[in-house]
Amino acid sequence: MRVPPFFRPSLRLRWLLPCVLAAVLAACGMRFAYSHLDWLLPWYLSDYVTLDRDQRNLLDARLADRLAWHCRQQLGPYAELLRRVEADLRRGRIEAAELDAHLTRAESLWRELMVAITPDARALLESLSDEQTAELAAAFRRRNRDAREDFLDGSPAELRERQVERMEKRLRPWLGRLQPDQRRLIEQWSDALTLSTAQWLAQRERWQANLLATLGQRRQPAVFEARLRPLLVSPDAGWPADYRARVAHNRSQTVALLAGLLNSATPGQREQLFGEIDAWARQFELRACAPAALPAQAAARP
């Protein structure tokens, strides 16, 4: 059993429950609504922009506060949800609708986090200089170019094979080596998906353009906050109906695949899966903090 890497503070927040649960369900990286916003957790910004000393100090202070909030408010629910997933899987056969309900709960916890970190993101983003904003725009262009190479370059057969390989790679830590019939399920899943990668990249670039335009208003605090909040909390609000339908279809196909894979798991695969879930749940349980105590006067109120 692997020990989850919770010993660096930044990793505690990088492994947010939607990604943990989605990894259990093997859906992490499936272009869900929030997948392209990972970097916007303020402590990810340093991957895109060179921060000065004051900005690094601000980031450290914000991170300490956010870790304390995350510890009090979310680690307990994370562990509880993983335990529910484990209990459902131990009953035997699991339905796609059950997995979907767990993933929906995980996404709700993610939205709570995005609401909570909006002030942190605003404080750091509004401190950027014009040079840093230009650096951010250049990083967007560079990473978008890399994403196009990874997800669009190649023949249809090559793209399909890479998609199957990515899914197998995500599953391997949880189920180990897949059986031939399980790999066929993944290939059938890949064939059933509707093409949406080009649209995903287009929506990502649209979102990035909106962020850069919003940064142009960072010297006007009220305007900046009003424009930044929806970008963080509801990034899918501007999705075209066709793309939204494609995402919903692909999500449904993915959850159905996962139900099929879990229901076909061998005894050895189930043992490995339960060991991984238990390891993550234990880490969340060990690191969950008690809610902050209320002042005595407030606690005494009816």
Side-chain angles (χ1 to χ4, degrees):
M1 181 190 307
R2 294 183 301 109
V3 177
F6 264 80
F7 304 103
R8 281 172 43 204
S10 63
L11 286 178
R12 186 185 302 181
L13 278 169
R14 286 173 186 247
W15 264 106
L16 301 168
L17 182 63
C19 201
V20 174
L21 182 60
V24 174
L25 304 181
C28 191
M30 289 309 302
R31 309 293 169 257
F32 289 154
Y34 314 104
S35 60
H36 61 294
L37 294 182
D38 290 348
W39 75 271
L40 253 178
L41 297 174
W43 39 96
Y44 275 54
L45 191 61
S46 59
D47 291 343
Y48 286 73
V49 175
T50 304
L51 302 179
D52 62 30
R53 185 193 311 180
D54 289 341
Q55 289 168 329
R56 290 195 298 272
N57 290 339
L58 173 62
L59 184 147
D60 289 343
R62 290 281 181 168
L63 175 59
D65 290 344
R66 193 54 51 218
L67 284 173
W69 173 88
H70 190 59
C71 175
R72 292 192 307 271
Q73 301 296 329
Q74 291 206 306
L75 292 188
Y78 284 16
E80 180 183 355
L81 184 49
L82 284 174
R83 293 301 187 191
R84 289 179 181 175
V85 172
E86 181 183 9
D88 283 350
L89 292 172
R90 286 188 180 278
R91 286 204 320 268
R93 184 174 182 82
I94 191 164
E95 300 299 327
E98 295 176 278
L99 295 181
D100 187 73
H102 291 311
L103 188 55
T104 298
R105 170 58 177 152
E107 290 169 338
S108 74
L109 289 170
W110 171 266
R111 285 190 293 272
E112 289 175 11
L113 178 67
M114 296 310 294
V115 171
I117 66 114
T118 295
D120 307 325
R122 185 186 71 243
L124 192 57
L125 289 169
E126 68 186 2
S127 75
L128 296 182
S129 66
D130 290 344
E131 292 76 14
Q132 288 173 318
T133 301
E135 184 182 0
L136 178 61
F140 280 158
R141 290 192 296 271
R142 183 175 62 253
R143 298 201 179 197
N144 289 338
R145 189 165 55 246
D146 292 342
R148 289 185 178 279
E149 292 177 0
D150 290 341
F151 294 103
L152 290 179
D153 285 359
S155 68
E158 290 171 335
L159 293 174
R160 175 184 184 271
E161 184 60 25
R162 294 209 298 261
Q163 187 174 60
V164 169
E165 289 176 355
R166 283 194 297 269
M167 178 57 84
E168 286 191 84
K169 183 177 179 180
R170 295 181 193 112
L171 285 160
R172 201 167 295 128
W174 304 91
L175 294 175
R177 185 178 179 86
L178 297 183
Q179 302 298 306
D181 61 331
Q182 293 172 326
R183 195 175 198 278
R184 282 193 292 273
L185 286 177
I186 298 175
E187 291 170 346
Q188 292 167 6
W189 158 81
S190 180
D191 293 338
L193 296 179
T194 60
L195 296 177
S196 62
T197 303
Q199 288 177 296
W200 162 66
L201 287 168
Q203 290 305 310
R204 179 166 106 160
E205 291 171 0
R206 181 187 65 83
W207 183 90
Q208 292 168 349
N210 286 337
L211 176 68
L212 293 171
T214 298
L215 284 171
Q217 305 295 320
R218 64 190 182 280
R219 307 306 180 214
Q220 303 177 51
V223 176
F224 182 61
E225 181 176 6
R227 293 187 60 172
L228 179 64
R229 183 180 178 85
L231 287 175
L232 293 177
V233 177
S234 52
D236 59 339
W239 283 0
D242 176 65
Y243 178 61
R244 191 179 298 277
R246 287 172 181 263
V247 170
H249 170 82
N250 290 346
R251 174 193 172 115
S252 176
Q253 292 296 320
T254 301
V255 174
L257 164 69
L258 300 172
L261 290 170
L262 295 171
N263 289 332
S264 67
T266 66
Q269 287 175 328
R270 289 175 64 83
E271 181 180 358
Q272 179 167 337
L273 175 64
F274 293 142
E276 289 291 325
I277 295 175
D278 181 68
W280 279 104
R282 283 178 181 273
Q283 292 299 317
F284 286 132
E285 290 162 349
L286 287 171
R287 286 161 177 77
C289 311
L294 293 174
Q297 291 180 341
R301 292 173 187 165

